Amino acid sequence: MAVQQKTGRTHGLTMFVPQTRRDIALRHLTQKLTSRPVGKRAMQSLLVGKFKEKSIDIAAP
């Protein structure tokens, strides 16, 4: 759980609340890439490993 909290504060913050022009440009580029089928598949393959720990269901018995 600590990993998810830390990742959310460091990496998630810039995507949802951009702090700099660079953050805004990166968010805009990501949105453009993921709006197209080829770009969407490319982004999924690049990011799939980063979200593995987030797929853990902590509420499951």
Side-chain angles (χ1 to χ4, degrees):
M1 178 104 156
V3 172
Q4 290 88 351
Q5 291 293 321
K6 183 179 179 186
T7 303
R9 285 188 202 106
T10 57
H11 300 296
L13 181 66
T14 59
M15 188 57 69
F16 294 107
V17 186
Q19 303 292 311
T20 65
R21 288 181 186 255
R22 179 183 171 268
D23 294 343
I24 294 170
L26 183 61
R27 182 173 71 170
H28 183 69
L29 176 65
T30 303
Q31 288 173 336
K32 277 192 164 243
L33 284 174
T34 57
S35 68
R36 294 176 174 83
V38 174
K40 188 175 184 175
R41 284 192 304 272
M43 291 299 286
Q44 285 174 338
S45 67
L46 287 171
L47 297 175
V48 73
K50 293 187 177 189
F51 290 100
K52 278 191 176 179
E53 69 269 1
K54 291 185 175 116
S55 66
I56 299 169
D57 185 4
I58 60 170

